Amino acid sequence: MHSVVAAFAAAWIIHIVYLFTLASRQRELRRALNAVTTQRDVR
Amino acid sequence: MEAKRLTPATGPRPTSNWIVLWGSLTLLLLLVGLYLALLWAPEEATMGIYQRIFYYHVPAAITAFVAFFINLVASVVYLLRRSRIADAWAVASAEVGVVFLTINLITGPIWAKPIWGIWWTWDARLTLDLVLWVMYVSYLLLRQLTPRGELQPRLAAALACFFFVDVPINYMAIRWWHTQHPQPVIFGGPGSGLAPPMYVALAICWMAFMALGYVLLRLRIEQEMDRHALDDAQRALLLEDVGG
Amino acid sequence: MADFRIAWATLTRDVRLELRTRESFNAMLFYALLVVVIFSFAFESEAELTARVGGGLLWVAFLFAGLVALDRAFVREMPGDTLTGLLLSPAPRAALMAGKFVSSFVLMLTIEAVLLPLFAVLFNVSSEVHWGGIVLTVVLGTWALAVTGTYFSAMSIHTRHRALLLPLLLLPVAIPAIISMVQATQVFLSRSGVANYWWKLLFGFDVVFTALGLLLADVVLDVD
């Protein structure tokens, strides 16, 4: 019983971790893009 | 100098429509799959409840193989065309493949321990899975350690070609090596005939994983293209500075 | 024909450079000796153990020494940035790569030629083993490592943590070759069975990756 729960939980956790990694990378990227656009608009 | 058009950094993104649609579909499939795998599918006679791990274990492996195949095709296309989008597909599929293969490699031993009595054995299939995992992790490391630019996708694509040629040789070597060693366990897994409901649960779980793989792949591809946009914008700014 | 001349020139140039700056070669050789000596401390160097796991020990030692040699294949070009010079020349990339393959191969074989007798002595290899078979395995296995390793060496010079990345790239791809060379050597050390299958596999690996390395030579040897 325990191992079945562990296996399914592991799969979900890995997916969620990857999703969060993608999201945090995207946030950083968005911030950098924002910075560049404002810098360009200022000129 | 005219700066390149940028993706609007604020406001609604063009991606929002598909992600709502595909995201909810994927979540639904995953939940249905979970229900079918854990509650609905009948208990297997010899392995009992542990057999249920297979409903995640096998689809994860197949999805990973599909992702690695996409990686190969995208790498070859990149070498021929040098197109950014091909490289975005390559890096996205490698990452998604590693995620799914990791799930496969973690659920495998969890199943093996109660059934075989051991966590790991150098069985041909397990070994090949591990080798594939090691390969694509090294692929991602190469990308990480190479400076961004034109060089990184080029080297990565060459490495992907090496992997492709290597897999069949690996298959032969591992199978031959394996047959020389005593097999520690009796393999009584599936394939020795599944009951129809089990196929249904397996199929739904596989569809759910493929849908999830598609969502992750597409998100990662868009992220890679965003990063290119950022690189371009930064370069344009730099050129403006130099141009004075 | 011109391609062969370019490959030959690349090879002789590398060999000459190694002969002139002998200290790096000496250091490499000494490093390889140390690996074998440390192994004989780490494992009981009894004849029966050698018969059981000798193949693995020998190839791990060769691999360690080989990685240093392979790293040098393109690092050699760094001080005077001579790689740019090579790449600006109209020489076909495949010919340059072929020359590099052979020069790595020669360098690795030279080290192994010293290492193998030392290993035999320190690990009490039975004198009745089939030395011809072991030597053929060493040659085939070294070519496998030289080809893939040189290609990845060309890749890794462009990256951060060059010396770390080379084994990270080489080892996963070389897994089938490593299995084959260890098993083939093991067959001879334990004097059991034949190594034909492993030789065929190693030979296949050699041919396939030599072809692929030459085919994709201009992917890694390119001016940025």
Side-chain angles (χ1 to χ4, degrees):
Chain A
M1 183 67 212
H2 287 311
S3 33
V4 177
V5 173
F8 280 78
W12 278 82
I13 288 169
I14 291 170
H15 280 138
I16 290 168
V17 166
Y18 183 61
L19 258 177
F20 270 91
T21 322
L22 276 182
S24 78
R25 263 194 242 153
Q26 193 65 32
R27 239 193 332 271
E28 240 169 76
L29 208 62
R30 204 75 81 79
R31 199 172 300 143
L33 263 170
N34 267 333
V36 174
T37 14
T38 37
Q39 201 179 343
R40 199 193 50 190
D41 291 347
V42 163
R43 297 193 178 184
Chain B
M1 175 188 163
E2 186 72 32
K4 267 198 149 182
R5 198 178 58 84
L6 293 177
T7 356
T10 47
R13 304 236 311 151
T15 58
S16 47
N17 279 333
W18 79 264
I19 186 74
V20 169
L21 186 72
W22 275 94
S24 41
L25 176 72
T26 304
L27 197 63
L28 187 73
L29 272 172
L30 276 171
L31 292 176
V32 171
L34 204 59
Y35 167 75
L36 293 181
L38 287 180
L39 301 171
W40 180 76
E43 191 112 319
E44 208 265 346
T46 47
M47 284 183 279
I49 192 168
Y50 301 114
Q51 184 265 343
R52 294 181 189 278
I53 295 176
F54 264 100
Y55 298 126
Y56 264 30
H57 179 75
V58 176
I62 302 173
T63 312
F65 296 156
V66 172
F68 292 148
F69 184 70
I70 293 175
N71 173 266
L72 168 75
V73 174
S75 300
V76 172
V77 170
Y78 180 81
L79 283 181
L80 296 176
R81 299 262 176 85
R82 305 282 157 123
S83 75
R84 275 180 177 181
I85 187 73
D87 180 58
W89 275 79
V91 63
S93 54
E95 253 180 42
V96 171
V98 168
V99 168
F100 279 98
L101 201 57
T102 308
I103 290 173
N104 172 263
L105 281 172
I106 288 180
T107 50
I110 294 178
W111 172 87
K113 184 64 184 169
I115 299 296
W116 288 347
I118 44 172
W119 292 109
W120 184 264
T121 162
W122 294 99
D123 163 84
R125 235 177 311 179
L126 276 98
T127 313
L128 200 61
D129 272 15
L130 185 66
V131 170
L132 265 178
W133 189 84
V134 166
M135 279 180 175
Y136 281 92
V137 171
S138 87
Y139 173 93
L140 293 178
L141 276 170
L142 170 72
R143 297 198 70 113
Q144 209 173 53
L145 292 177
T146 319
R148 281 191 70 75
E150 190 264 336
L151 185 75
Q152 183 195 52
R154 196 147 47 87
L155 297 188
L159 188 62
C161 293
F162 269 72
F163 289 167
F164 170 66
V165 170
D166 210 30
V167 167
I169 307 180
N170 251 309
Y171 178 73
M172 288 188 281
I174 290 169
R175 221 182 38 170
W176 191 258
W177 175 54
H178 165 68
T179 53
Q180 289 204 324
H181 284 247
Q183 214 169 340
V185 285
I186 300 118
F187 192 79
S192 41
L194 286 177
M198 294 181 175
Y199 278 121
V200 173
L202 199 65
I204 297 292
C205 281
W206 185 51
M207 276 163 64
F209 273 27
M210 287 296 278
L212 179 60
Y214 173 72
V215 170
L216 293 175
L217 187 77
R218 196 157 159 188
L219 279 175
R220 184 67 181 86
I221 292 172
E222 282 183 2
Q223 186 168 75
E224 190 64 18
M225 296 316 276
D226 277 359
R227 182 158 292 169
H228 281 305
L230 175 66
D231 287 348
D232 287 347
Q234 281 173 338
R235 197 170 311 123
L237 271 180
L238 213 67
L239 281 176
E240 258 173 67
D241 284 346
V242 174
Chain C
M1 202 57 226
D3 288 3
F4 279 106
R5 276 222 320 282
I6 292 165
W8 177 252
T10 317
L11 164 66
T12 47
R13 171 174 162 275
D14 277 359
V15 171
R16 204 174 306 135
L17 277 171
E18 278 308 320
L19 287 177
R20 276 189 202 152
T21 57
R22 206 161 318 138
E23 63 268 26
S24 71
F25 178 77
N26 289 343
M28 221 182 308
L29 190 61
F30 185 62
Y31 172 69
L33 295 183
L34 276 179
V35 172
V36 173
V37 171
I38 293 297
F39 270 1
S40 49
F41 288 128
F43 305 95
E44 301 288 324
S45 50
E46 292 159 356
E48 51 171 305
L49 182 99
T50 311
R52 254 186 315 126
V53 295
L57 293 179
L58 182 71
W59 278 104
V60 172
F62 281 3
L63 207 56
F64 278 4
L67 279 171
V68 185
L70 289 168
D71 186 45
R72 281 197 58 75
F74 283 91
V75 173
R76 203 179 286 134
E77 312 285 354
M78 280 174 128
D81 198 16
T82 41
L83 186 60
T84 311
L86 279 182
L87 295 185
L88 286 173
S89 76
R93 304 298 182 244
L96 292 178
M97 192 56 101
K100 287 287 183 190
F101 283 170
V102 183
S103 76
S104 298
F105 177 65
V106 169
L107 187 57
M108 286 171 78
L109 268 191
T110 316
I111 299 172
E112 287 164 1
V114 182
L115 231 50
L116 189 59
L118 184 81
F119 175 84
V121 171
L122 287 181
F123 281 88
N124 294 308
V125 175
S126 156
S127 54
E128 288 146 44
V129 299
H130 181 21
W131 283 107
I134 293 182
V135 169
L136 180 61
T137 311
V138 166
V139 168
L140 286 175
T142 305
W143 181 257
L145 293 177
V147 168
T148 45
T150 307
Y151 192 85
F152 293 139
S153 169
M155 251 189 202
S156 62
I157 43 164
H158 302 291
T159 63
R160 299 183 283 274
H161 307 294
R162 182 202 75 234
L164 179 64
L165 191 65
L166 175 60
L168 292 188
L169 295 175
L170 171 62
L171 295 180
V173 169
I175 286 173
I178 293 173
I179 294 177
S180 309
M181 55 185 94
V182 169
Q183 294 298 322
T185 314
Q186 201 52 50
V187 163
F188 294 113
L189 286 179
S190 60
R191 281 177 291 158
S192 62
V194 278
N196 286 343
Y197 181 85
W198 298 117
W199 279 346
K200 275 184 209 154
L201 209 59
L202 262 182
F203 186 72
F205 187 98
D206 288 352
V207 170
V208 165
F209 279 98
T210 308
L212 190 67
L214 295 180
L215 189 71
L216 294 180
D218 45 359
V219 177
V220 287
L221 293 181
D222 201 350
V223 198
D224 304 314

Short mmCIF file of all heavy atoms in Angstrom, two decimals, chain B residues 125-149:
data_model
loop_
_atom_site.label_atom_id
_atom_site.label_comp_id
_atom_site.label_asym_id
_atom_site.label_seq_id
_atom_site.Cartn_x
_atom_site.Cartn_y
_atom_site.Cartn_z
N ARG B 125 16.30 -4.16 -19.69
CA ARG B 125 15.45 -2.99 -19.88
C ARG B 125 15.81 -1.87 -18.89
O ARG B 125 15.86 -0.70 -19.24
CB ARG B 125 13.99 -3.39 -19.72
CG ARG B 125 13.18 -2.99 -20.92
CD ARG B 125 11.75 -3.44 -20.79
NE ARG B 125 11.65 -4.85 -20.40
CZ ARG B 125 10.48 -5.45 -20.20
NH1 ARG B 125 9.38 -4.78 -20.34
NH2 ARG B 125 10.43 -6.72 -19.85
N LEU B 126 16.03 -2.26 -17.65
CA LEU B 126 16.38 -1.26 -16.64
C LEU B 126 17.68 -0.56 -16.99
O LEU B 126 17.79 0.66 -16.90
CB LEU B 126 16.56 -1.93 -15.27
CG LEU B 126 15.33 -2.19 -14.44
CD1 LEU B 126 14.87 -3.60 -14.60
CD2 LEU B 126 15.62 -1.92 -13.01
N THR B 127 18.66 -1.36 -17.42
CA THR B 127 19.96 -0.79 -17.74
C THR B 127 19.84 0.20 -18.88
O THR B 127 20.41 1.29 -18.83
CB THR B 127 20.95 -1.90 -18.10
OG1 THR B 127 20.84 -2.92 -17.13
CG2 THR B 127 22.35 -1.37 -18.11
N LEU B 128 19.07 -0.18 -19.91
CA LEU B 128 18.94 0.70 -21.06
C LEU B 128 18.23 2.01 -20.66
O LEU B 128 18.62 3.09 -21.10
CB LEU B 128 18.16 -0.01 -22.17
CG LEU B 128 18.36 0.57 -23.56
CD1 LEU B 128 19.80 0.50 -23.97
CD2 LEU B 128 17.48 -0.13 -24.57
N ASP B 129 17.23 1.89 -19.80
CA ASP B 129 16.55 3.09 -19.29
C ASP B 129 17.54 4.01 -18.58
O ASP B 129 17.56 5.22 -18.80
CB ASP B 129 15.46 2.70 -18.30
CG ASP B 129 14.14 2.44 -18.99
OD1 ASP B 129 14.16 2.29 -20.21
OD2 ASP B 129 13.12 2.39 -18.30
N LEU B 130 18.36 3.40 -17.75
CA LEU B 130 19.32 4.19 -16.98
C LEU B 130 20.33 4.86 -17.91
O LEU B 130 20.66 6.04 -17.74
CB LEU B 130 20.04 3.29 -15.97
CG LEU B 130 20.99 4.03 -15.04
CD1 LEU B 130 20.21 4.95 -14.12
CD2 LEU B 130 21.80 3.06 -14.22
N VAL B 131 20.79 4.10 -18.92
CA VAL B 131 21.76 4.66 -19.87
C VAL B 131 21.15 5.86 -20.60
O VAL B 131 21.78 6.90 -20.75
CB VAL B 131 22.23 3.58 -20.86
CG1 VAL B 131 23.02 4.19 -21.99
CG2 VAL B 131 23.07 2.54 -20.14
N LEU B 132 19.89 5.70 -21.03
CA LEU B 132 19.22 6.80 -21.72
C LEU B 132 19.12 8.02 -20.81
O LEU B 132 19.36 9.15 -21.24
CB LEU B 132 17.80 6.37 -22.10
CG LEU B 132 17.61 5.83 -23.50
CD1 LEU B 132 16.17 5.41 -23.69
CD2 LEU B 132 17.99 6.87 -24.53
N TRP B 133 18.78 7.77 -19.57
CA TRP B 133 18.65 8.88 -18.61
C TRP B 133 19.97 9.60 -18.47
O TRP B 133 20.05 10.83 -18.54
CB TRP B 133 18.17 8.32 -17.27
CG TRP B 133 17.81 9.36 -16.27
CD1 TRP B 133 16.62 10.00 -16.15
CD2 TRP B 133 18.65 9.88 -15.23
NE1 TRP B 133 16.66 10.89 -15.12
CE2 TRP B 133 17.89 10.84 -14.53
CE3 TRP B 133 19.96 9.63 -14.83
CZ2 TRP B 133 18.40 11.55 -13.45
CZ3 TRP B 133 20.47 10.34 -13.75
CH2 TRP B 133 19.69 11.28 -13.07
N VAL B 134 21.05 8.82 -18.27
CA VAL B 134 22.38 9.40 -18.12
C VAL B 134 22.75 10.24 -19.35
O VAL B 134 23.26 11.35 -19.24
CB VAL B 134 23.41 8.28 -17.89
CG1 VAL B 134 24.81 8.79 -18.06
CG2 VAL B 134 23.24 7.67 -16.52
N MET B 135 22.43 9.70 -20.53
CA MET B 135 22.75 10.41 -21.77
C MET B 135 22.07 11.77 -21.83
O MET B 135 22.70 12.78 -22.10
CB MET B 135 22.28 9.59 -22.97
CG MET B 135 23.19 8.50 -23.38
SD MET B 135 22.41 7.72 -24.78
CE MET B 135 23.68 6.57 -25.20
N TYR B 136 20.76 11.78 -21.60
CA TYR B 136 20.06 13.04 -21.79
C TYR B 136 20.33 14.03 -20.67
O TYR B 136 20.22 15.23 -20.88
CB TYR B 136 18.57 12.80 -22.05
CG TYR B 136 18.39 12.39 -23.48
CD1 TYR B 136 18.40 11.05 -23.84
CD2 TYR B 136 18.34 13.34 -24.48
CE1 TYR B 136 18.32 10.68 -25.18
CE2 TYR B 136 18.26 12.98 -25.80
CZ TYR B 136 18.24 11.65 -26.15
OH TYR B 136 18.18 11.30 -27.46
N VAL B 137 20.70 13.53 -19.49
CA VAL B 137 21.14 14.47 -18.46
C VAL B 137 22.45 15.12 -18.92
O VAL B 137 22.65 16.33 -18.76
CB VAL B 137 21.30 13.77 -17.09
CG1 VAL B 137 21.98 14.69 -16.11
CG2 VAL B 137 19.94 13.38 -16.56
N SER B 138 23.34 14.33 -19.52
CA SER B 138 24.59 14.93 -19.99
C SER B 138 24.33 15.91 -21.13
O SER B 138 25.02 16.92 -21.26
CB SER B 138 25.60 13.85 -20.39
OG SER B 138 25.44 13.46 -21.71
N TYR B 139 23.30 15.63 -21.93
CA TYR B 139 22.89 16.56 -22.99
C TYR B 139 22.47 17.91 -22.39
O TYR B 139 22.91 18.97 -22.83
CB TYR B 139 21.74 15.93 -23.77
CG TYR B 139 21.08 16.83 -24.79
CD1 TYR B 139 21.50 16.84 -26.12
CD2 TYR B 139 20.02 17.65 -24.45
CE1 TYR B 139 20.88 17.64 -27.05
CE2 TYR B 139 19.40 18.46 -25.38
CZ TYR B 139 19.83 18.45 -26.67
OH TYR B 139 19.22 19.26 -27.60
N LEU B 140 21.66 17.83 -21.32
CA LEU B 140 21.20 19.07 -20.69
C LEU B 140 22.36 19.81 -20.04
O LEU B 140 22.42 21.04 -20.06
CB LEU B 140 20.11 18.78 -19.67
CG LEU B 140 18.80 18.26 -20.26
CD1 LEU B 140 17.80 17.94 -19.16
CD2 LEU B 140 18.20 19.27 -21.23
N LEU B 141 23.30 19.04 -19.47
CA LEU B 141 24.47 19.68 -18.86
C LEU B 141 25.32 20.39 -19.90
O LEU B 141 25.82 21.49 -19.65
CB LEU B 141 25.32 18.64 -18.13
CG LEU B 141 24.84 18.32 -16.72
CD1 LEU B 141 25.56 17.11 -16.18
CD2 LEU B 141 25.07 19.52 -15.82
N LEU B 142 25.49 19.74 -21.06
CA LEU B 142 26.26 20.40 -22.13
C LEU B 142 25.62 21.73 -22.49
O LEU B 142 26.30 22.74 -22.62
CB LEU B 142 26.31 19.50 -23.37
CG LEU B 142 26.87 20.18 -24.62
CD1 LEU B 142 28.36 20.41 -24.50
CD2 LEU B 142 26.56 19.41 -25.88
N ARG B 143 24.29 21.72 -22.61
CA ARG B 143 23.60 22.98 -22.94
C ARG B 143 23.82 24.02 -21.86
O ARG B 143 23.98 25.20 -22.15
CB ARG B 143 22.11 22.72 -23.12
CG ARG B 143 21.79 21.80 -24.25
CD ARG B 143 20.36 21.94 -24.64
NE ARG B 143 20.14 23.22 -25.27
CZ ARG B 143 19.83 23.38 -26.55
NH1 ARG B 143 19.66 22.34 -27.32
NH2 ARG B 143 19.66 24.57 -27.06
N GLN B 144 23.79 23.55 -20.60
CA GLN B 144 23.94 24.48 -19.51
C GLN B 144 25.34 25.10 -19.48
O GLN B 144 25.49 26.27 -19.14
CB GLN B 144 23.69 23.74 -18.21
CG GLN B 144 23.15 24.60 -17.11
CD GLN B 144 22.76 23.76 -15.93
OE1 GLN B 144 23.56 22.98 -15.43
NE2 GLN B 144 21.53 23.89 -15.49
N LEU B 145 26.34 24.31 -19.84
CA LEU B 145 27.72 24.78 -19.71
C LEU B 145 28.23 25.49 -20.96
O LEU B 145 29.36 25.97 -20.97
CB LEU B 145 28.64 23.59 -19.38
CG LEU B 145 28.42 22.99 -17.99
CD1 LEU B 145 29.31 21.78 -17.79
CD2 LEU B 145 28.69 24.01 -16.92
N THR B 146 27.43 25.50 -22.03
CA THR B 146 27.86 26.20 -23.24
C THR B 146 27.24 27.59 -23.25
O THR B 146 26.06 27.72 -22.95
CB THR B 146 27.41 25.43 -24.49
OG1 THR B 146 27.60 24.06 -24.26
CG2 THR B 146 28.21 25.85 -25.69
N PRO B 147 28.02 28.61 -23.59
CA PRO B 147 27.44 29.95 -23.64
C PRO B 147 26.31 30.02 -24.67
O PRO B 147 26.36 29.35 -25.69
CB PRO B 147 28.62 30.84 -24.05
CG PRO B 147 29.65 29.92 -24.55
CD PRO B 147 29.45 28.61 -23.89
N ARG B 148 25.29 30.81 -24.35
CA ARG B 148 24.17 30.94 -25.28
C ARG B 148 24.65 31.55 -26.58
O ARG B 148 25.63 32.27 -26.62
CB ARG B 148 23.09 31.84 -24.68
CG ARG B 148 22.23 31.16 -23.66
CD ARG B 148 21.05 32.02 -23.32
NE ARG B 148 20.09 32.11 -24.41
CZ ARG B 148 19.26 31.13 -24.75
NH1 ARG B 148 19.27 30.00 -24.09
NH2 ARG B 148 18.41 31.28 -25.75
N GLY B 149 23.93 31.25 -27.63
CA GLY B 149 24.33 31.79 -28.91
C GLY B 149 24.21 30.70 -29.96
O GLY B 149 23.49 29.72 -29.76
#
